[in-house]
Amino acid sequence: MAQKLKTQDLMEVFNKNLNEVNLKFDLNKEIISTLDKKLEQIENSSLKIEYEPLGTVILDNDKMFKEHRSELSNIFEKQISMMKVVSKKESKYQLYFYGALTILLFLCAAILSYGIDQYHEKKAAEKEVKFYSKEAFRRNEYLKENNLTEKYESWLEQKQSNQNSVN
């Protein structure tokens, strides 16, 4: 199949330049006629393109690429299967991580709750100790003022001796 080469633009530019040269220089008629003949030959020339060798090149490339495509598809399938295995492992590890994190959270909350409870119990015990120490001080003062200290000590010794004999 032959295609005609379009040279109209090229010819117009060439003719324009040729007219300018002709005005500037006095060229003889033989050169101009020879150039005109060459221009006509260029306008009438055609370009022939053969597609048959291109078809064989395409077939050769297709055979070569089929081999590479099958190799690449095998590699792709292997990578996909490996990624699935790794993904399952990672999801299992992620589950373990979040499970351990949840257990640690509950453990921390329990320890914090126990610590707060112990703090409040300590404060309550301190208040109770202060109260009983003040009470004991007041009773001791009362006993001293009323000279009942000796009676109290004898009563206390009697109580302790009764408890020792029972045990």
Side-chain angles (χ1 to χ4, degrees):
M1 179 177 188
Q3 248 185 346
K4 226 177 188 183
L5 185 63
K6 293 189 177 185
T7 58
Q8 184 177 356
D9 293 336
L10 179 64
M11 297 308 286
E12 286 177 6
V13 170
F14 185 73
N15 280 333
K16 182 179 174 185
N17 289 339
L18 186 61
N19 289 336
E20 288 176 8
V21 168
N22 195 13
L23 292 175
K24 289 183 182 177
F25 302 106
D26 188 23
L27 297 174
N28 63 19
K29 298 282 182 184
E30 290 177 18
I31 295 173
I32 293 175
S33 64
T34 307
L35 285 175
D36 285 340
K37 287 178 187 174
K38 291 294 180 183
L39 285 173
E40 285 178 21
Q41 283 179 356
I42 291 172
E43 280 182 357
N44 294 331
S45 66
S46 62
L47 183 64
K48 292 181 181 178
I49 298 174
E50 295 180 13
Y51 293 107
E52 293 166 9
L54 184 61
T56 58
V57 170
I58 289 172
L59 290 175
D60 291 340
N61 285 342
D62 188 43
K63 287 177 188 175
M64 184 177 66
F65 287 134
K66 276 185 183 178
E67 294 171 8
H68 292 296
R69 268 190 243 132
S70 63
E71 259 182 69
L72 288 174
S73 65
N74 288 337
I75 291 171
F76 180 71
E77 291 298 323
K78 286 178 185 175
Q79 291 296 323
I80 292 286
S81 64
M82 285 174 48
M83 286 175 67
K84 285 180 181 178
V85 169
V86 169
S87 174
K88 285 181 183 177
K89 283 182 182 178
E90 291 298 321
S91 65
K92 187 192 315 182
Y93 290 140
Q94 193 175 24
L95 179 67
Y96 291 157
F97 173 74
Y98 286 121
L101 194 61
T102 304
I103 290 169
L104 284 174
L105 177 67
F106 286 130
L107 188 61
C108 287
I111 290 171
L112 184 63
S113 173
Y114 178 74
I116 290 171
D117 186 47
Q118 290 298 312
Y119 174 77
H120 288 298
E121 283 183 19
K122 178 185 167 192
K123 287 294 182 183
E126 285 175 356
K127 283 182 183 178
E128 216 173 299
V129 166
K130 282 183 184 177
F131 172 76
Y132 286 121
S133 66
K134 286 180 184 177
E135 253 335 279
F137 182 72
R138 284 186 204 143
R139 287 181 185 163
N140 198 18
E141 287 294 317
Y142 177 76
L143 290 173
K144 281 182 185 177
E145 285 177 11
N146 293 330
N147 295 325
L148 298 172
T149 308
E150 292 173 11
K151 285 183 181 179
Y152 174 73
E153 287 177 3
S154 65
W155 174 80
L156 187 62
E157 284 176 13
Q158 238 180 6
K159 255 320 202 187
Q160 287 176 350
S161 64
N162 286 341
Q163 284 182 351
N164 288 338
S165 62
V166 174
N167 291 335

